Amino acid sequence: MRLSQYFIPTLKETPSEAQIASHRLMLRAGMVNQETSGIYTWLPLGLRVLEKIQKIVCEEQDRIGCHKVLMPTIQPAELWKKSGRYEAYGKEMLRITDRHEREMLYGPTNEEVITDVVAQYVKSYRALPLVLYQIQWKFRDEIRPRFGVMRGREFLMKDGYSFDLSYEAATDTYKKIYESYLRTFRRMGLTAIPVRADTGAIGGDLSHEFQIVAPTGESTIYYDGKFDSLSAADMTFDIASKLYAAADEMHKADECPIPADHLKTARGIEIGHIFYFGTKYSEPLGAKVTTPDGQTIPLEMGSYGIGVSRLVGAIIEAFHDDKGIIWPEAVAPFKVGLINLKVGDIKIDTLAEGLYTQLSNKGIEVLYDDRDERAGTKFADMDLIGLPWQIVLGNRTVETGMVELKNRKTGEKIEVALDQIADKVC
Ligand code: ATP
Ligand code: MG
């Protein structure tokens, strides 16, 4: 992509409404535009990241055999009346009336819709286990939308729903998804701590929130200090599930199994939440199957959320410095930023254009700064946007045949021969 032709409305000034780094940086890097409180337009650079995150989420869901669907954003109130949540959900639900005076709503979550679908088509244990998921916009009329896309009113969520014949089978599914969540977040470079979370009225211990530690997080979490020494790569089911970690409401100081000097408390950003809830929705919505011995029983269910749009902000909270964003390669909007310091100089333009074509032909995503701007502006913008690698071409390239390769994360710069740079960044 040529920066001169791209749409990245970067800001020089720090927007005054943004209280936290990720919100500031997303506005400054031209990733999103706020339309009204908690509702955003995703601009090209932001959308590329959102799509990379979605792709990782889908690959990991598909890997464990979940099936992708797409449910509507607008749902009939009737289904929510059946489950008993229509009144209970309260003011966070955006309620709509259509021209025929029928009550509708913009879905804050989709248990009712998916259970209704499964109730119609799944009749036998032979179809189980079944996990259906989607990535779809949700609307929750949050009382305090804030921190940009981290707590929006309209936000993108991956929501999955599991259907099993028995409690045992449902817990197996739950474990499988727990494990796949760690893997999903690990691929994004995040060390997500699975904390035991409140299951509300249902009881049991089968609910976990996936939290990343960040001073700007809105949750309080308690966890075994050993978590702090684990890198994203170490965060596997076998390791994580043996260590203590609990959400605020689940942590009881006098019952805590680990000694006080091993216990840590921190602020966390909730990037995912999984839940087993048995027959809470299958019973009222009539999702029943026949068992091998001919009985008819309601399905055992769970639901599994990932905050896809929140993750964009959460990743920036985890990876930035005072110059800007530092994208982990897996979700970076482009892999390489190519800076031409002398636009208009035919020799340098030719070399830069050649390299741009060569990298693009190798399938490397390049953002080519071909603008006629001062070097300082170019360096500052590239650091702000935060692509993992920067390649700089200037007078020296013509004189010595070398380009500068900079690692955005470490700041390390090395000289590489122009004819070797494409292989090097591959
Ligand atoms: P929170 O406690 O942060 O309000 P929640 O527990 O209400 O979240 P869930 O119903 O568990 O949220 O939704 C699944 C995931 O969707 C959450 O783990 C979070 O990552 C994301 N999410 C929830 N609410 C929002 C929001 N208002 N804006 C952006 N992402 C959200
Ligand atoms: Mg939650």
mmCIF file of all heavy atoms in Angstrom, residues 2 13 37 41 92 103 129 133 143 162 166 192 196 204 289 301 339 347 352 397 417:
data_model
loop_
_atom_site.group_PDB
_atom_site.id
_atom_site.type_symbol
_atom_site.label_atom_id
_atom_site.label_comp_id
_atom_site.label_asym_id
_atom_site.label_seq_id
_atom_site.Cartn_x
_atom_site.Cartn_y
_atom_site.Cartn_z
ATOM 1 N N ARG A 2 0.513 2.185 -0.885
ATOM 2 C CA ARG A 2 1.250 3.460 -0.926
ATOM 3 C C ARG A 2 0.605 4.439 0.044
ATOM 4 O O ARG A 2 -0.588 4.729 -0.065
ATOM 5 C CB ARG A 2 1.179 4.064 -2.326
ATOM 6 C CG ARG A 2 2.060 3.359 -3.301
ATOM 7 C CD ARG A 2 1.687 3.767 -4.721
ATOM 8 N NE ARG A 2 2.153 2.733 -5.615
ATOM 9 C CZ ARG A 2 3.409 2.673 -6.066
ATOM 10 N NH1 ARG A 2 4.275 3.602 -5.741
ATOM 11 N NH2 ARG A 2 3.795 1.688 -6.837
ATOM 12 N N GLU A 13 -1.949 15.974 17.349
ATOM 13 C CA GLU A 13 -2.257 16.291 18.744
ATOM 14 C C GLU A 13 -2.886 15.073 19.411
ATOM 15 O O GLU A 13 -3.547 14.276 18.758
ATOM 16 C CB GLU A 13 -3.268 17.448 18.809
ATOM 17 C CG GLU A 13 -2.849 18.692 18.047
ATOM 18 C CD GLU A 13 -1.593 19.303 18.633
ATOM 19 O OE1 GLU A 13 -1.514 19.394 19.872
ATOM 20 O OE2 GLU A 13 -0.687 19.665 17.864
ATOM 21 N N SER A 37 -21.084 8.290 21.392
ATOM 22 C CA SER A 37 -20.550 7.558 22.531
ATOM 23 C C SER A 37 -20.546 6.026 22.334
ATOM 24 O O SER A 37 -21.603 5.423 22.116
ATOM 25 C CB SER A 37 -21.393 7.933 23.760
ATOM 26 O OG SER A 37 -21.024 7.132 24.835
ATOM 27 N N THR A 41 -16.532 4.057 13.735
ATOM 28 C CA THR A 41 -16.235 3.617 12.372
ATOM 29 C C THR A 41 -14.820 3.048 12.402
ATOM 30 O O THR A 41 -13.923 3.668 12.978
ATOM 31 C CB THR A 41 -16.263 4.812 11.393
ATOM 32 O OG1 THR A 41 -17.605 5.277 11.305
ATOM 33 C CG2 THR A 41 -15.770 4.412 10.005
ATOM 34 N N GLU A 92 -29.440 -2.241 29.539
ATOM 35 C CA GLU A 92 -28.329 -2.439 28.596
ATOM 36 C C GLU A 92 -28.826 -2.928 27.243
ATOM 37 O O GLU A 92 -28.109 -2.878 26.254
ATOM 38 C CB GLU A 92 -27.310 -3.420 29.170
ATOM 39 C CG GLU A 92 -26.329 -2.706 30.050
ATOM 40 C CD GLU A 92 -25.136 -3.543 30.428
ATOM 41 O OE1 GLU A 92 -24.874 -4.566 29.776
ATOM 42 O OE2 GLU A 92 -24.490 -3.163 31.405
ATOM 43 N N GLU A 103 -42.104 -6.280 18.904
ATOM 44 C CA GLU A 103 -40.938 -5.948 19.724
ATOM 45 C C GLU A 103 -39.715 -6.713 19.232
ATOM 46 O O GLU A 103 -39.766 -7.929 19.053
ATOM 47 C CB GLU A 103 -41.213 -6.309 21.185
ATOM 48 C CG GLU A 103 -42.262 -5.435 21.832
ATOM 49 C CD GLU A 103 -42.660 -5.963 23.195
ATOM 50 O OE1 GLU A 103 -43.113 -7.121 23.283
ATOM 51 O OE2 GLU A 103 -42.487 -5.214 24.169
ATOM 52 N N PRO A 129 -21.083 -34.142 19.924
ATOM 53 C CA PRO A 129 -21.137 -32.759 20.393
ATOM 54 C C PRO A 129 -21.201 -31.772 19.225
ATOM 55 O O PRO A 129 -20.740 -32.080 18.131
ATOM 56 C CB PRO A 129 -19.816 -32.592 21.157
ATOM 57 C CG PRO A 129 -18.892 -33.571 20.523
ATOM 58 C CD PRO A 129 -19.740 -34.724 20.077
ATOM 59 N N TYR A 133 -20.374 -21.195 16.255
ATOM 60 C CA TYR A 133 -19.894 -19.874 16.680
ATOM 61 C C TYR A 133 -20.084 -18.869 15.566
ATOM 62 O O TYR A 133 -20.319 -19.227 14.410
ATOM 63 C CB TYR A 133 -18.420 -19.937 17.092
ATOM 64 C CG TYR A 133 -17.442 -19.950 15.939
ATOM 65 C CD1 TYR A 133 -16.821 -18.765 15.516
ATOM 66 C CD2 TYR A 133 -17.147 -21.123 15.253
ATOM 67 C CE1 TYR A 133 -15.922 -18.759 14.452
ATOM 68 C CE2 TYR A 133 -16.252 -21.119 14.186
ATOM 69 C CZ TYR A 133 -15.644 -19.947 13.796
ATOM 70 O OH TYR A 133 -14.775 -19.938 12.739
ATOM 71 N N ILE A 143 -23.545 1.702 30.626
ATOM 72 C CA ILE A 143 -23.794 2.943 31.355
ATOM 73 C C ILE A 143 -22.627 3.905 31.192
ATOM 74 O O ILE A 143 -22.815 5.115 31.090
ATOM 75 C CB ILE A 143 -24.127 2.644 32.835
ATOM 76 C CG1 ILE A 143 -24.589 3.913 33.553
ATOM 77 C CG2 ILE A 143 -22.975 2.006 33.577
ATOM 78 C CD1 ILE A 143 -25.374 3.631 34.806
ATOM 79 N N SER A 162 -21.992 -24.311 22.886
ATOM 80 C CA SER A 162 -21.785 -25.756 22.804
ATOM 81 C C SER A 162 -23.029 -26.518 23.234
ATOM 82 O O SER A 162 -23.771 -26.077 24.114
ATOM 83 C CB SER A 162 -20.592 -26.164 23.670
ATOM 84 O OG SER A 162 -20.884 -25.966 25.035
ATOM 85 N N SER A 166 -24.370 -34.799 27.967
ATOM 86 C CA SER A 166 -24.259 -34.993 29.415
ATOM 87 C C SER A 166 -23.342 -33.939 30.009
ATOM 88 O O SER A 166 -22.609 -33.252 29.288
ATOM 89 C CB SER A 166 -23.637 -36.368 29.691
ATOM 90 O OG SER A 166 -22.315 -36.382 29.174
ATOM 91 N N ALA A 192 -2.580 -14.504 28.407
ATOM 92 C CA ALA A 192 -3.884 -14.392 29.070
ATOM 93 C C ALA A 192 -3.956 -15.323 30.270
ATOM 94 O O ALA A 192 -3.648 -16.510 30.161
ATOM 95 C CB ALA A 192 -4.989 -14.724 28.077
ATOM 96 N N ARG A 196 -10.820 -17.954 37.569
ATOM 97 C CA ARG A 196 -12.137 -18.517 37.890
ATOM 98 C C ARG A 196 -13.106 -17.366 38.081
ATOM 99 O O ARG A 196 -12.824 -16.396 38.773
ATOM 100 C CB ARG A 196 -12.066 -19.376 39.146
ATOM 101 C CG ARG A 196 -11.268 -20.669 38.907
ATOM 102 C CD ARG A 196 -11.547 -21.695 39.979
ATOM 103 N NE ARG A 196 -11.105 -21.211 41.288
ATOM 104 C CZ ARG A 196 -11.901 -21.068 42.342
ATOM 105 N NH1 ARG A 196 -13.182 -21.368 42.274
ATOM 106 N NH2 ARG A 196 -11.416 -20.627 43.468
ATOM 107 N N GLY A 204 -21.362 -24.083 40.613
ATOM 108 C CA GLY A 204 -20.313 -24.868 39.966
ATOM 109 C C GLY A 204 -19.096 -23.990 39.736
ATOM 110 O O GLY A 204 -19.106 -22.802 40.049
ATOM 111 N N VAL A 289 -32.939 -33.643 22.803
ATOM 112 C CA VAL A 289 -32.561 -34.734 21.891
ATOM 113 C C VAL A 289 -32.911 -36.082 22.506
ATOM 114 O O VAL A 289 -33.080 -36.196 23.733
ATOM 115 C CB VAL A 289 -31.035 -34.747 21.595
ATOM 116 C CG1 VAL A 289 -30.635 -33.572 20.723
ATOM 117 C CG2 VAL A 289 -30.210 -34.804 22.875
ATOM 118 N N MET A 301 -25.491 -27.091 27.787
ATOM 119 C CA MET A 301 -24.906 -26.004 26.982
ATOM 120 C C MET A 301 -23.823 -25.196 27.696
ATOM 121 O O MET A 301 -23.754 -25.163 28.919
ATOM 122 C CB MET A 301 -26.008 -25.018 26.561
ATOM 123 C CG MET A 301 -26.963 -25.562 25.528
ATOM 124 S SD MET A 301 -28.264 -24.337 25.157
ATOM 125 C CE MET A 301 -27.300 -22.953 24.553
ATOM 126 N N ILE A 339 10.347 3.226 4.037
ATOM 127 C CA ILE A 339 10.454 4.689 4.052
ATOM 128 C C ILE A 339 11.437 5.157 2.992
ATOM 129 O O ILE A 339 12.616 4.804 3.031
ATOM 130 C CB ILE A 339 10.927 5.188 5.440
ATOM 131 C CG1 ILE A 339 9.925 4.756 6.521
ATOM 132 C CG2 ILE A 339 11.090 6.717 5.442
ATOM 133 C CD1 ILE A 339 10.329 5.157 7.941
ATOM 134 N N LYS A 347 16.822 8.265 -8.751
ATOM 135 C CA LYS A 347 17.568 7.041 -8.414
ATOM 136 C C LYS A 347 16.958 6.339 -7.203
ATOM 137 O O LYS A 347 16.748 5.126 -7.196
ATOM 138 C CB LYS A 347 19.029 7.395 -8.104
ATOM 139 C CG LYS A 347 19.862 7.590 -9.346
ATOM 140 C CD LYS A 347 21.326 7.694 -8.953
ATOM 141 C CE LYS A 347 22.164 8.123 -10.131
ATOM 142 N NZ LYS A 347 23.258 9.006 -9.725
ATOM 143 N N ALA A 352 13.428 2.287 -4.444
ATOM 144 C CA ALA A 352 12.336 2.072 -3.482
ATOM 145 C C ALA A 352 11.148 1.382 -4.145
ATOM 146 O O ALA A 352 10.580 0.431 -3.598
ATOM 147 C CB ALA A 352 11.918 3.412 -2.871
ATOM 148 N N THR A 397 21.723 4.642 0.272
ATOM 149 C CA THR A 397 21.391 3.442 -0.490
ATOM 150 C C THR A 397 22.022 3.516 -1.886
ATOM 151 O O THR A 397 22.552 2.531 -2.392
ATOM 152 C CB THR A 397 19.857 3.278 -0.601
ATOM 153 O OG1 THR A 397 19.296 3.464 0.692
ATOM 154 C CG2 THR A 397 19.486 1.911 -1.125
ATOM 155 N N ALA A 417 22.248 -5.238 2.778
ATOM 156 C CA ALA A 417 22.386 -4.944 1.347
ATOM 157 C C ALA A 417 21.012 -4.977 0.689
ATOM 158 O O ALA A 417 20.179 -5.837 1.001
ATOM 159 C CB ALA A 417 23.301 -5.977 0.695
#
